[in-house]
């Protein structure tokens, strides 16, 4: 039969069926009409339908002529590739489905209706069905019925009948016979892929879970991957080159499908399905072969080759990047070992890597320099893309031009100071690890071959060693260690005492660090307010100093003690007491026996109790100055704090001298190895005591020394630490005072300013006897913008507490807590002396002092100290006086936009402290008086914090800025309330300054007008 | 030579607490189980050494000056003791049934304001102590020619030897006072003689420690051993107040304490330097010879004492330790560590059973060491 005739026959048959259905009065007429055409197309058993329809139609159904297989095949072809199917399908979906389908019996529905879709040419079926998902009811149709029917059919066709797999088969193989030409195949493939991928978007919400994107795509992926398991070599023949691959419809379809799925954000799904399969394959190969033949074995395995081709079929570079990232992560979660991971990567990417430069640069540039992977993934990336050989067999050093090129790029990126300042810490660790791992494989000759590398490495190490962050310093020391091992394997350079093993921890303990770290920080947070705080890196310089001195000491010891030629006088080894004993015993024996009762006791004596014999401050000063008498200095340090705390009368006079001397003592020189810390600590405690007991005198000296060229950076840091601690101590000094009864009159009469309660806590009015407010810790990871506070209320008279414990005494519950209150902050009167001189000279560059540049750690510490001062002066009038000048300092460009995150963090901390410290009523009264200085300062905090949130690279900065904004919002709210109440009370007076109304206070998320 | 491990030094058998300031001097009662202690705030306490309790406490010198020394001796009588304050007075107290009289029996204004502890007469233990009767005639030695007769009269009774030696108003001089008449008995060196004999005490500096004793060889005339600021030691005989019997210099720093053994044939001295010296006194030739020199690791011995049975000697050190030596051989026997401040004084009880140590840490330690056979 000719093709055209056949098509004509199909069309006329379709027309006949449609017209008979249109005229049908009974459902069985419809079924039999549909059956008549279905029997021509599909191998059906008519008896399955006949059981469910009435007698008169049953004969008609059974009488239908069953064509031969060949005829049926031709009919099927003509039906689906011609106009027959679209016409009938549209009719089936729009007319039969709403009008008749409900009446169909189950078997009739299956064999006379669904069959057209489930056994059809999937590409056509899909193209017809998918548009119906978005049918809108313009012509009064039962839309929901149509749509749900289409959804059902899609699930049936694509998922239950492995339609996607069929699609791939349809595109695969020799296409000419199926009417496709090379030019047409690509658009057709991509159109179908597009339609399939869009199904979850078009499916209605809350209908079928199998059409929700996650489940749907997962099914598709599984189907497509099963293609590989079929080992259908026909599909893959002649696809060794990219050109050939273009002609292979199946692979094209798979590639298109994968990239579209990944585009929709499901690359993780793809890799999680793909990786276990490939890993299994690789494991099988590895177990069945020795390592040398793995490559051949994998290449001869059709399944593995199919996987490899599928990856190649994905062309979109962005998608490839996403997928390969996901694959790396998946490999890490599956705990693949180095060999397995290498072969998985090799299988999936080795041809891409060879043939496509973009893929290579993705691995070598993006994955090494821009992305951050777990350290194991980094090793695989290096092995696969850089070394390009399976782990274990290393290539000889000379033919690796690509390798040294990569290392050079790593070194250049790593050594830049800007990189240290701006890159997030994870990335720094990653690149340091990448550099270190590749350096580990290098020889001295290779290193020499690279120009500048040595210089750059040293530069990178030195700029990292200055960092306040312990991790960054560790990176430097690790790289330096590897570097020194290349230069001279026998003499490795340990910059840090902690790293002394053979293997270097390139993870830098990062996995442990991701949990909330730094107990200190937590403690500090709980102290007074919820201010974010910066890390305390005070030990930094001290450690550095120490580690160096330790080294030198070790060397000295070695030189001193090990002199084999030294002549030792045996007599000198004997203890003197022994000689005495000999003498005594001898004489005793010759003596009369009457003295035998006088046996000597144990005459050994330790002098530990005799050390503390400094009783005068001047003695201490004198002893500290004698730097050659280490023991004396140590003893002086031991007693210094106690003596100072005793606060003798002469303290005022010797405070300056003592301060200067204490600062200039070199603890590392005097104390024994390992005991430097305690000496440092004693010195610091003594200084704190001094600053607390006679603040003005010692502060004068401290401030002078802070900017003096004669002290080094560690001393400067120590000075600032001392001032910080002293400020806190002064602020926390407590004095008992009787509490006023919290009656309504007093609380309204007494100014809020004298209240020691922080302004952000709710008012303490209410039931007497209630406990103090506590912040409710928020649940969930989100930064919530409102704080919740809670407090315990006493029981009402008619309430009875149920429980086991009882109180037997008669005292009233309020008696203990409300009679007295602790509060006296001694700090405010000294605040100016603490802050103002320290703020004066920070921006001047002098000999040996360069806070804005090299000594940024000192600057950070200084700002932190100022923040603590501000916090300590909180709620006192001094705060609003000092705040503007502190804000002026923070505002200056070099400070708030400092290159080092450490400084920015400190600035954020100080800004938050200012927000907490200044009472809203001060701000409102300042505004009413027309003084806008402080308001503008606070507004600057807000804008700047927004700026940081938006653009800062450092994560901690970002978090602190968020917190800062939150505080600012609270503060602004309180201030506006205070302003409201002030305005209402000022209403009678006509002299309200006009300025006040002009100033706007920004309240984020509150005033939306 | 067998070297068995020596036992750890003993702890005090009792610690007497109660003083509020540094305990400057202690003294056992010559026969009863009573201890006197004086402190830097002028308080004197009387302790029962059996029950370790305070029997009596009173401020007998002004708190701002404090007590320099307390002393009780069989020569004073069993119900008396002497206290010396830095307020320039020496007071003699009567006590009965552990109750102290409200006012002193006798107050002598010596106008001395130094740290030198007074000394009562030490006479050899075989000296007859039972003789009763007080010397009826006590001559005031304004006239040096009467010295000898005065001394002779002294020798007749131990009970009657109520003399104390102390560093004088001019601290380079030693004065001996009669407690009965409250008058000065003699001054050493006697000023008239000293000018002629050329003994220049100015070089020696102040008298820092002294011991008054009555050797049997001296026919009853009192002798004084006095240590001076420059480390020298003079041996005086009151019969010859112008010129000392002998002068030796064992120490390089001020002598802080002296002690003569009960036979008056030797003694021990401690100074501000780092050694303890034991010496013999040869009464026939009038010379003092060094017997043993003990070097210390840390300087400063503020008190010394020799047990009446002459077996052991104790020293109180600035280094908070009490050291025990074999008095005959001079070897170290024990280092007693209890006090945590400078030790001011040590003394043995007359029955040799107890050692008391007084310290700046306001406590008095009682020790039992090498019990007498």
């Amino acid at each position: 039969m000719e093709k055209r005739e056949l098509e004509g026959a199909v069309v006329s048959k379709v027309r006949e069926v449609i017209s008979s259905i249109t005229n049908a009065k009974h459902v069985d007429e419809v079924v039999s009409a549909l059956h008549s055409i279905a029997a021509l197309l599909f191998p059906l058993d008519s008896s399955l339908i006949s059981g469910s329809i009435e007698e008169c139609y049953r004969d008609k159904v059974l009488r239908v002529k069953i064509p031969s297989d060949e005829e049926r095949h031709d009919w099927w072809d003509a039906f689906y590739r011609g106009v027959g199917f679209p016409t009938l399908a549209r009719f089936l979906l729009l007319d039969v489905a709403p009008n008749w389908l409900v009446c169909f019996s189950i078997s009739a529905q299956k064999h006379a209706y669904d069959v057209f879709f489930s056994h059809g040419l999937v590409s056509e079926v899909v193209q017809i069905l998918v548009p119906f998902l978005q049918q809108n009811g313009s012509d009064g149709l039962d839309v929901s019925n149509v749509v749900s029917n289409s959804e059902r059919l899609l699930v049936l066709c694509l998922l239950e009948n492995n339609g996607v797999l069929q699609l791939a088969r349809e595109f695969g193989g020799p296409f000419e016979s199926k009417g496709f030409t090379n030019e047409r195949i690509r658009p057709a493939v991509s159109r179908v892929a597009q339609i399939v991928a869009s199904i979850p978007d078009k499916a209605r919400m809350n209908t079928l879970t199998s059409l929700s994107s996650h489940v749907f795509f997962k099914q598709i992926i599984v189907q497509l991957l099963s293609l590989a398991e079929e080992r259908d070599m026909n599909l893959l023949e002649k696809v060794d080159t990219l050109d050939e691959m273009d002609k292979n419809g199946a692979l094209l379809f798979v590639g298109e499908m994968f990239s579209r799925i990944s585009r929709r954000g499901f690359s993780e799904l793809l890799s999680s399905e793909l990786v276990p399969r490939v890993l299994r394959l690789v494991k099988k190969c590895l177990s069945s072969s020795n390592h040398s033949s793995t490559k051949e074995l994998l290449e001869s395995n059709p399944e593995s080759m199919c996987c490899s081709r599928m990856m190649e079929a994905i062309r979109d570079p962005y998608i490839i990047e996403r997928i390969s990232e996901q694959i790396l992560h998946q490999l890490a979660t599956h705990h693949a070992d180095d060999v397995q991971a290498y072969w998985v990567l090799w299988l999936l990417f080795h041809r891409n890597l060879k043939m496509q430069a973009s893929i290579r640069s993705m691995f070598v540039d993006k994955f090494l320099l821009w992305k951050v992977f777990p350290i194991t993934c980094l090793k695989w990336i290096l092995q696969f893309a850089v070394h390009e050989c399976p782990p274990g067999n290393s290539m000889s050093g000379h033919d690796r031009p690509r390798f040294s090129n990569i290392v050079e790029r790593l070194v250049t990126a790593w050594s830049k100071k800007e990189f240290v300042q701006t890159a997030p810490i994870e990335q720094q660790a990653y690149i340091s690890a990448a550099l270190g791992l590749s350096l580990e494989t290098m020889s001295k000759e290779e290193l020499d071959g690279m120009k500048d590398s040595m210089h750059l490495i040293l530069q990178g190490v030195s700029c990292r060693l200055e960092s306040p962050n312990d991790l960054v310093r560790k990176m430097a020391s690790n790289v330096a260690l590897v570097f020194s091992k290349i230069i001279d394997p026998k003499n490795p350079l340990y910059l840090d005492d902690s790293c002394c093993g053979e293997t270097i921890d390139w993870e830098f303990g990062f996995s442990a660090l991701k949990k909330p770290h730094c107990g200190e920080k937590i403690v500090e947070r709980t102290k007074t307010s919820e201010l974010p705080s910066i890390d305390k890196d005070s030990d930094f310089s001290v450690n550095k100093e120490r580690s160096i001195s330790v080294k030198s000491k070790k060397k000295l010891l070695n030189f001193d003690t090990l002199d084999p030629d030294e002549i030792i006088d045996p007599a000198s080894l004997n203890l003197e007491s022994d000689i005495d004993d000999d003498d005594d015993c001898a004489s005793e024996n010759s003596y009369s026996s009457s003295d035998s009762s006088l046996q000597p006791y144990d005459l050994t004596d330790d002098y530990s109790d005799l050390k503390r014999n400094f009783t005068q401050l001047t003695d201490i000063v004198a002893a500290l100055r004698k730097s050659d008498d280490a023991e004396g200095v140590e003893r002086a340090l031991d007693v210094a704090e106690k003596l100072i705390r005793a606060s003798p009368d002469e303290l005022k006079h010797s405070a300056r001298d003592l301060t200067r001397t204490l600062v200039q003592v070199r603890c590392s020189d005097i104390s024994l190895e390992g005991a430097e810390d305690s000496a440092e600590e004693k010195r610091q405690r003594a200084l704190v005591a001094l600053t607390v007991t006679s603040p003005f005198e010692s502060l004068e000296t401290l401030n002078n020394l802070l900017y003096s060229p004669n002290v080094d950076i560690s001393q400067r840091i120590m000075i600032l630490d001392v001032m910080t601690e002293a400020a806190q101590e002064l602020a926390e000094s407590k004095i008992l005072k009787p509490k006023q009864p919290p009656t309504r009159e007093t609380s309204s009469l007494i100014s809020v300013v004298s209240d020691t309660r922080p302004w952000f806590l709710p008012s303490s009015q209410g039931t007497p006897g209630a406990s103090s407010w506590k912040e409710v810790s928020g649940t969930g990871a989100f930064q919530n913008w409102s704080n919740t506070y809670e407090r315990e209320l006493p029981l009402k008279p008619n309430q009875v507490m149920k429980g086991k414990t009882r109180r037997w005494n008669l005292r009233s519950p309020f008696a203990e807590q409300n009679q007295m209150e602790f509060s006296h902050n001694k700090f405010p009167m000294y605040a100016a002396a603490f802050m103002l001189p320290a703020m004066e000279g920070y921006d001047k560059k002098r000999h040996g002092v360069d806070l804005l540049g090299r000594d940024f750690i000192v600057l950070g510490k200084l700002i932190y100290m100022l923040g603590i001062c501000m916090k300590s002066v909180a709620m006192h009038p001094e705060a609003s006086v000092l705040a503007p000048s502190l804000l002026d300092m923070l505002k200056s460009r070099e400070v708030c936009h400092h290159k080092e995150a450490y400084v920015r963090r400190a600035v954020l901390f100080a800004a938050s402290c200012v927000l907490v410290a200044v009472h809203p009523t001060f701000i409102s009264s300042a505004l009413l008086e027309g003084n806008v200085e402080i308001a503008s300062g606070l507004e600057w905090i807000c804008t700047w914090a927004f700026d940081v949130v938006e653009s800062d690279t450092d994560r901690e900065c970002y978090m602190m800025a968020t917190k800062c904004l939150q505080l600012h919002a609270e503060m602004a709210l309180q201030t506006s309330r205070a302003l409201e109440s002030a305005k209402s009370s000022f209403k009678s007076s006509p002299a309200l300054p006009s300025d006040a109304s002009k100033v706007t206070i920004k309240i984020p998320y509150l005033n939306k007008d | 030579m067998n070297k068995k491990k020596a036992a750890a030094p003993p702890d005090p058998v009792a610690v007497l607490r109660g003083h509020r300031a540094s305990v400057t001097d202690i003294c056992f009662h010559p026969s009863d189980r009573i201890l006197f202690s004086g402190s830097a705030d002028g308080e004197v306490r009387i302790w029962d050494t059996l029950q370790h309790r305070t029997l009596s406490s009173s401020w007998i010198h002004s708190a701002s000056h404090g007590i320099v020394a307390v002393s009780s001796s069989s020569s004073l009588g069993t119900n008396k003791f002497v206290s010396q304050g830095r307020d320039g007075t020496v007071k003699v107290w009567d006590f009965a049934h552990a109750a102290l009289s409200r006012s002193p029996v006798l107050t002598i204004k010596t106008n001395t304001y130094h740290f030198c502890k007074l000394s009562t007469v030490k006479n050899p233990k075989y000296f007859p102590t039972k003789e009763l009767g007080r010397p009826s005639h006590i001559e005031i030695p304004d006239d040096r020619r009467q010295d000898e007769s005065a001394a002779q009269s002294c020798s007749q009774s131990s009970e009657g030897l109520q003399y104390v030696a102390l560093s004088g108003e001019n601290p380079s001089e030693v004065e001996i006072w009669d407690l009965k008449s409250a008058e000065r008995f003699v001054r050493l060196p006697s000023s008239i003689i000293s000018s002629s004999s050329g003994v220049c005490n100015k070089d020696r500096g102040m008298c820092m420690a002294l011991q008054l004793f009555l050797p049997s060889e001296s026919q009853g005339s009192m002798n004084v051993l006095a240590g001076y600021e420059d480390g020298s030691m003079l041996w005086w005989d009151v019969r010859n107040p112008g010129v000392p019997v002998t002068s030796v210099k064992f120490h390089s720093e001020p002598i802080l304490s002296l002690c003569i053994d009960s036979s008056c044939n030797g003694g021990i001295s401690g100074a501000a330097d780092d050694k303890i010296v034991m010496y013999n006194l040869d009464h026939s030739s009038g010379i003092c010879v060094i017997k043993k020199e003990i070097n210390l690791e840390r300087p400063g011995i503020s008190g010394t004492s020799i047990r009446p049975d002459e077996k052991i000697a104790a020293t109180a050190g600035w280094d908070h330790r009490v050291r025990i030596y074999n008095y005959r051989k001079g070897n170290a026997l024990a280092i007693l560590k209890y006090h945590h401040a400078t030790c001011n004084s040590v003394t043995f009880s007359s029955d040799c059973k107890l050692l008391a140590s007084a310290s700046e840490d306001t406590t008095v330690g009682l020790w039992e060491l090498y019990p007498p056979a």
Side-chain angles (χ1 to χ4, degrees), chain B residues 10-134:
Chain B
D11 289 323
V13 291
V15 177
L16 309 180
R17 298 170 200 275
H19 279 292
R20 296 164 180 80
S22 168
V23 183
T24 50
D25 199 17
I26 42 174
C27 171
F28 280 101
H29 188 272
S31 52
D32 292 346
R33 291 182 168 173
I34 284 174
L35 177 77
F36 305 94
S37 65
S39 71
D41 60 354
E43 183 190 22
V44 76
R45 275 176 181 256
I46 304 175
W47 306 85
D48 182 330
T49 57
L50 208 62
Q51 297 182 339
H52 310 138
R53 276 197 196 156
T54 302
L55 296 173
S56 156
S57 155
S58 51
W59 267 267
I60 58 172
H61 288 274
S62 72
S64 54
H65 297 97
I67 294 174
V68 175
V70 287
S71 184
S72 142
S73 155
S74 52
S75 59
L76 288 177
T78 53
N79 58 349
K80 284 202 175 78
F81 74 93
V82 187
S83 71
Q84 177 192 14
R86 281 200 73 211
D87 50 2
T89 58
V90 169
K91 296 175 181 174
V92 182
W93 299 87
D94 203 352
F95 74 97
H97 306 294
L100 205 62
S101 56
R102 188 164 288 201
S103 53
V105 177
L106 182 71
T107 302
I108 306 171
K109 288 216 173 292
T110 57
N111 287 326
T112 56
Y113 302 96
H114 47 68
F115 290 98
C116 178
K117 289 173 182 173
L118 60 74
S119 164
T120 49
V121 186
K122 178 168 253 175
N123 38 353
K125 64 178 176 184
Y126 46 81
F127 195 85
T129 55
K130 295 264 166 70
E131 266 184 46
L132 294 172
R134 292 175 181 174

Side-chain angles (χ1 to χ4, degrees), chain A residues 476-632:
Chain A
S477 58
N478 280 3
V479 170
L481 175 59
V482 175
F483 180 66
S484 70
K485 274 182 179 164
I486 300 177
I487 304 288
D488 182 3
K490 281 174 205 141
N491 189 14
L493 168 72
Y494 295 110
L495 284 181
D496 198 344
D497 290 343
S498 61
C499 62
C500 44
E502 277 301 300
T503 51
I504 301 168
D505 174 26
W506 288 111
E507 282 184 84
F508 307 105
F510 236 89
S511 44
L513 200 105
K514 283 194 176 149
K515 290 157 201 150
H517 53 117
C518 231
E520 201 174 15
K521 211 175 179 179
I522 294 161
V523 169
E524 191 155 1
R525 279 206 180 138
T526 53
K527 248 188 204 163
T528 49
S529 66
E530 75 281 24
L531 277 186
S533 66
I534 61 171
D535 283 19
K536 281 196 159 187
D537 286 304
S538 58
D539 54 342
F540 147 70
S541 56
V542 176
N543 282 347
K544 200 162 100 184
E545 191 184 355
R546 186 184 73 197
S547 61
I548 293 163
S549 71
V550 165
K551 233 135 262 151
S552 63
K553 263 185 197 163
K554 268 181 192 156
K555 256 176 202 164
L556 278 177
L557 278 179
N558 287 342
F559 285 128
D560 283 351
T561 53
L562 297 174
D563 184 5
D565 299 332
E566 194 183 9
I567 300 161
I568 298 168
D569 179 14
S572 72
L573 289 176
N574 285 336
L575 291 172
E576 219 170 328
S577 59
D578 288 358
I579 298 168
D580 279 354
D581 271 0
D582 281 358
D583 193 21
D584 292 338
C585 286
S587 56
E588 198 166 315
N589 289 342
S590 66
Y591 235 79
S592 68
S593 61
S594 67
D595 270 358
S596 60
S597 62
L598 297 182
Q599 283 295 334
Y601 286 100
D602 183 9
L603 289 172
T604 54
D605 193 5
D606 65 338
Y607 314 123
S608 51
D609 59 323
L610 294 177
K611 300 269 168 80
R612 314 177 167 271
N613 48 8
F614 284 100
T615 49
Q616 298 293 320
L617 287 172
T618 44
D619 292 348
I620 291 183
V621 174
L624 289 175
R625 286 206 175 127
K626 279 186 208 150
S627 54
D628 50 337
D629 176 18
E631 201 189 333

Side-chain angles (χ1 to χ4, degrees), chain A residues 754-862:
Chain A
S754 64
D755 201 350
T756 50
R757 190 167 46 85
W759 54 261
F760 47 80
L761 288 183
S763 137
S764 57
Q765 283 173 355
T767 332
S771 67
S772 55
W773 289 102
K774 285 182 202 103
E775 190 177 351
V776 181
S777 56
T779 50
F782 293 102
Q783 300 266 344
N784 54 339
W785 283 85
S786 67
N787 294 332
T788 324
Y789 297 93
E790 65 181 5
R791 61 173 174 177
E792 282 176 21
L793 290 173
L795 293 177
K796 283 179 186 153
N798 51 358
Q799 279 178 317
V800 178
M801 178 105 78
K802 282 177 187 155
K804 283 178 186 169
T805 54
R806 299 180 195 178
R807 273 202 185 149
W808 288 103
N809 59 351
L810 291 170
R811 107 197 123 161
S812 79
F814 342 115
E816 52 180 329
Q817 48 191 1
N818 284 6
Q819 294 302 315
M820 304 294 264
E821 91 182 17
F822 297 98
S823 96
H824 192 250
N825 185 346
K826 278 204 285 186
F827 182 70
M829 62 183 292
Y830 304 115
F834 267 86
M835 295 173 70
L836 294 178
M839 286 195 286
E840 248 167 33
Y842 75 96
D843 51 354
K844 292 192 194 85
K845 193 170 173 176
R846 266 159 293 181
H847 176 68
V849 191
D850 178 17
L851 291 197
L852 289 173
R854 188 182 39 124
D855 298 338
F856 67 91
I857 293 172
V858 181
L859 180 63
K861 282 269 171 201
L862 171 67

